[in-house]
Amino acid sequence: MQALILGLVLFLGIHSVRIFAEDWRTARRAAMGENAWKGIYSVVSAVGLGLIIWGYGQARQAPVVLWDTPTWTRHFAALLTLLSFVLLVAAYVPRNALKVRLQHPMILGVKVWALSHLLANNTLADLLLFGGFLVWSILCFRSARRREPVATAQAPSAVATSLTVAIGAGAWAVFAMWGHAALIGVRPFVAVAPTS
């Protein structure tokens, strides 16, 4: 569990600098140079992510169950992750309506992903991992909206929006049916027998 906590502190910490210390970040980038700052940022992020993956995997070997999760939460989580995939794709497709309106769809996608997994899972490690990402994404979205108010000058494209939804839904289907089991070892749509 210590590795998971340390990984979350490093990964979410470095990704929270703009939330809590924008002026310090600007000063550090100016003093160190853009490339040096990006290098340190990338290394800390990679180490943090590695510790999160390893620590969460270790914690799953001896789970500390905190509450019972009804079966419906898994179905609701699947629906929410579909929305999450669409929002993540929206960050990269120019002129789609989601990006034009929300401006930061990737952060919202992380928020929806974290919430869905928090609803469907029930261990201490889940609470730390998904709860941590949920709190971070809420704070990050608020901070980003304060820094960059929504601009409505760009007109959304129906084609771009349709493409965003189609790619997001397709990626979600592939990941839900195959990728989640291959990478995480859990099949989202396979019923789990209740533990006694």
Side-chain angles (χ1 to χ4, degrees), residues 69-84:
T69 51
T71 303
W72 67 265
T73 61
R74 294 177 60 132
H75 303 301
F76 188 48
L79 182 62
L80 287 177
T81 54
L82 170 58
L83 174 59
S84 178

Side-chain angles (χ1 to χ4, degrees), residues 103-139:
Q103 204 157 344
H104 303 284
M106 178 176 283
I107 302 172
L108 283 178
V110 172
K111 184 191 297 188
V112 173
W113 167 83
L115 176 62
S116 69
H117 284 75
L118 196 57
L119 289 173
N121 295 282
N122 62 354
T123 69
L124 178 59
D126 296 319
L127 180 62
L128 291 171
L129 176 61
F130 303 118
F133 271 91
L134 179 60
V135 170
W136 171 81
S137 60
I138 290 169
L139 295 174

Side-chain angles (χ1 to χ4, degrees), residues 2-13 44 47-49 51-52:
Q2 290 91 340
L4 173 60
I5 294 170
L6 179 57
L8 287 167
V9 168
L10 290 174
F11 188 84
L12 296 180
V44 172
V47 170
L49 183 59
L51 285 169
I52 288 171

Side-chain angles (χ1 to χ4, degrees), residues 10 16-17 22 25 39 54 66-68 81 83 86 93 96 118 126 134 148 150 160 163 177 191:
L10 290 174
S16 298
V17 174
E22 176 73 14
R25 172 183 175 272
W54 183 70
L66 299 178
W67 59 79
D68 291 327
T81 54
L83 174 59
V86 172
V93 178
N96 72 81
L118 196 57
D126 296 319
L134 179 60
E148 305 163 25
V150 175
L163 188 62
M177 301 301 177

